[in-house]
């Protein structure tokens, strides 16, 4: 009689089970995890929603002027979140506060399901925002106006604290040993811009001088910076408050024969290239893509599940100081319009 060695059988059975389990797990991964993710990406690429909630309409109204690439990034984020959340997304902008308020009124009249607005000039926006809230339209503010957002009735604010961002700039200038800085304000009356320069002045051990320019006229911006640099050789740094104005400052530096370092708020592909080449010293990134994306996402969450993020306080997306060491890793994102 042949004796069966149970230990060997058990080992063999164990081996078979191990192979079967591995195969099963691989199958689960390919059909559940990876395939689900591939399906999600394919749906997004084809403009298909990842949810089956009603097709609500959300509108965004910003204080952007024409051709401002910063707001292209905000809009990209909002549009991609809208696809995912099955949202009909509308966008309008005006750098004139009264026109911005009128655009908000027009969307209220259309009965949109949610509003995303900026409060660069909050006094002009107050009535329109309160009107939307009274009409039962949930409002989220982004980018500017964090101090007024809650008082106007908005659910929350998404962006960076402009004073804190300015203070970060002052600290960075100190670390770089700068003594006299020029802060370029390209939109008079924009409270966020004033807060940035004031914050930088607060923490900067050197002298901070404000220069107001017409941001709608780039040749004028360049000429104004150039004239200031020529008249005051002690200026060793220039801080612009938007990525499109950094290039104008770089050109002004060249024509003025100045050795001042050019730094900027905000990030785009040109700024990333400038950081890599050394044409720019540092940039302050407030992640505009995230501002647009999260605004749509949070409105969707509120409509779907009555969620409110932030606990009544602003949801911060910055500031993040970006230097030459960081630029290479972010360049690809800036080129696709998401950073």
């Amino acid at each position: 009689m042949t004796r069966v060695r149970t230990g060997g059988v058990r080992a063999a059975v164990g081996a078979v089970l191990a192979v079967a389990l591995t195969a099963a797990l691989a199958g689960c991964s390919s059909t559940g995890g990876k395939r689900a993710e591939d399906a999600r990406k394919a749906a997004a690429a084809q403009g298909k929603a990842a949810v089956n909630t009603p097709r609500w309409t959300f509108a965004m109204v910003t204080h952007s002027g024409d051709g401002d690439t910063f707001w292209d990034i905000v809009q990209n984020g909002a549009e991609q979140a809208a696809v995912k959340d099955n949202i009909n997304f509308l966008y309008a902008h005006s750098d004139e506060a009264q026109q911005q308020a009128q655009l908000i009124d027009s969307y209220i009249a259309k009965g949109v399901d949610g509003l995303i607005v900026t409060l660069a000039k909050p006094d002009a926006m107050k009535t329109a925002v309160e009107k939307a809230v009274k009409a039962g339209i949930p409002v989220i503010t982004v980018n500017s106006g964090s101090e007024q957002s809650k008082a106007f009735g908005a659910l929350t604010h998404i962006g960076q604290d402009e004073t804190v961002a300015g203070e970060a700039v002052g600290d960075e200038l100190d670390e770089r040993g700068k003594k006299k800085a020029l802060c370029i304000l390209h939109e008079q009356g924009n409270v966020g811009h004033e807060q940035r320069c004031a914050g930088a002045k607060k923490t900067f051990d050197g002298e901070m001088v404000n220069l107001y320019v017409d941001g709608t006229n780039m040749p004028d911006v360049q000429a104004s910076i150039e004239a200031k640099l020529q008249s005051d050789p002690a200026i060793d740094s220039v801080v612009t408050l938007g990525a499109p104005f950094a290039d104008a400052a770089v050109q002004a530096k060249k024509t003025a024969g100045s050795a001042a370092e050019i730094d900027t708020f905000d990030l785009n592909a040109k700024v990333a290239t400038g950081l890599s080449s050394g044409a720019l010293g540092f940039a302050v990134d407030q992640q505009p893509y995230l501002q647009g994306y999260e605004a749509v996402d949070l409105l969707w969450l509120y409509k779907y599940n009555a969620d409110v993020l932030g606990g009544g306080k602003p949801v911060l997306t910055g500031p993040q100081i970006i230097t030459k060491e960081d630029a290479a890793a972010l360049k690809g994102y800036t080129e696709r319009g998401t950073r």
Side-chain angles (χ1 to χ4, degrees), residues 41-72:
K41 289 180 179 179
Q46 297 170 20
K48 294 180 180 178
V51 297
N52 61 358
T53 47
R55 189 163 174 79
W56 294 306
T57 295
F58 296 165
M60 175 183 280
V61 183
T62 74
H63 63 275
S64 169
D66 293 332
D68 191 334
T69 56
F70 175 90
W71 293 103
D72 292 341

Side-chain angles (χ1 to χ4, degrees), residues 141-144 157-161 286 291 314-318:
T141 60
V142 298
N143 182 259
S144 53
H157 177 83
I158 303 171
Q160 70 180 2
D161 184 303
Q286 61 174 304
Q291 292 178 15
V315 179
L316 300 183
T317 63

Side-chain angles (χ1 to χ4, degrees), residues 22-317:
T22 300
L25 289 174
C28 288
S29 175
S30 62
T31 57
K34 186 176 183 302
R35 286 187 185 177
E37 176 64 10
D38 289 345
R40 185 194 64 77
K41 289 180 179 179
Q46 297 170 20
K48 294 180 180 178
V51 297
N52 61 358
T53 47
R55 189 163 174 79
W56 294 306
T57 295
F58 296 165
M60 175 183 280
V61 183
T62 74
H63 63 275
S64 169
D66 293 332
D68 191 334
T69 56
F70 175 90
W71 293 103
D72 292 341
I73 302 172
V74 175
Q75 191 174 350
N76 284 344
E79 288 176 344
Q80 290 192 25
V83 169
K84 175 180 69 70
D85 294 338
N86 192 32
I87 298 301
N88 177 35
F89 178 72
L90 307 175
Y91 179 81
H93 66 92
S94 175
D95 55 3
E96 296 292 334
Q98 192 57 43
Q99 291 182 14
Q100 188 187 354
Q102 290 172 357
L103 289 168
I104 294 172
D105 285 339
S106 71
Y107 284 133
I108 295 172
K110 289 179 181 178
V112 297
D113 300 295
L115 269 170
I116 302 161
V117 303
T118 61
L119 303 177
K121 297 174 182 176
D123 290 344
M125 298 296 108
K126 184 175 187 292
T127 300
V129 173
E130 290 179 341
K131 181 180 177 181
V133 173
K134 188 176 180 179
I137 300 173
V139 177
I140 286 179
T141 60
V142 298
N143 182 259
S144 53
S146 60
E147 293 81 3
Q148 296 82 10
S149 176
K150 187 175 182 179
F152 289 5
L155 297 175
T156 192
H157 177 83
I158 303 171
Q160 70 180 2
D161 184 303
E162 302 294 15
T163 299
V164 172
E167 291 172 354
V169 168
D171 289 338
E172 184 70 20
L173 292 174
D174 285 337
E175 287 188 17
R176 292 166 179 262
K178 302 304 178 183
K179 302 301 181 185
K180 188 169 186 178
L182 190 64
C183 195
I184 312 300
L185 297 97
H186 61 267
E187 184 181 349
Q188 292 198 37
N190 186 319
V191 293
H193 290 183
E194 296 287 349
Q195 290 167 344
R196 289 179 182 181
C197 292
K201 187 174 184 177
K202 178 181 177 181
T203 57
F204 183 39
D205 293 335
E207 181 183 357
M208 176 72 68
V209 179
N210 288 358
L211 177 65
Y212 292 87
V213 297
D214 179 4
T216 64
N217 185 341
M218 203 61 77
D220 177 73
V221 173
Q222 181 175 329
S224 297
I225 298 173
E226 179 184 339
K228 192 66 176 178
L229 291 175
Q230 287 176 333
S231 66
D232 191 351
I235 296 172
D236 56 12
S237 58
V238 176
V239 179
T240 63
L241 302 187
F245 304 96
D247 188 54
V250 169
Q251 298 306 316
K253 169 185 173 177
K254 291 178 181 177
T255 52
S258 171
E261 177 180 283
I262 308 300
D263 306 305
T264 190
F265 280 79
D266 302 335
L267 185 69
N268 64 12
K270 273 193 173 182
V271 169
T273 299
L275 290 170
S276 296
S277 69
L280 299 176
F282 67 89
V284 184
D285 186 20
Q286 61 174 304
Q287 302 185 100
Y289 177 88
L290 198 57
Q291 292 178 15
Y293 191 98
E294 288 302 317
V296 169
D297 227 19
L298 294 189
L299 273 181
W300 177 82
L301 283 167
Y302 180 77
K303 293 288 293 185
Y304 172 66
N305 205 43
D307 289 318
V308 179
L309 191 64
K313 295 184 178 181
V315 179
L316 300 183
T317 63

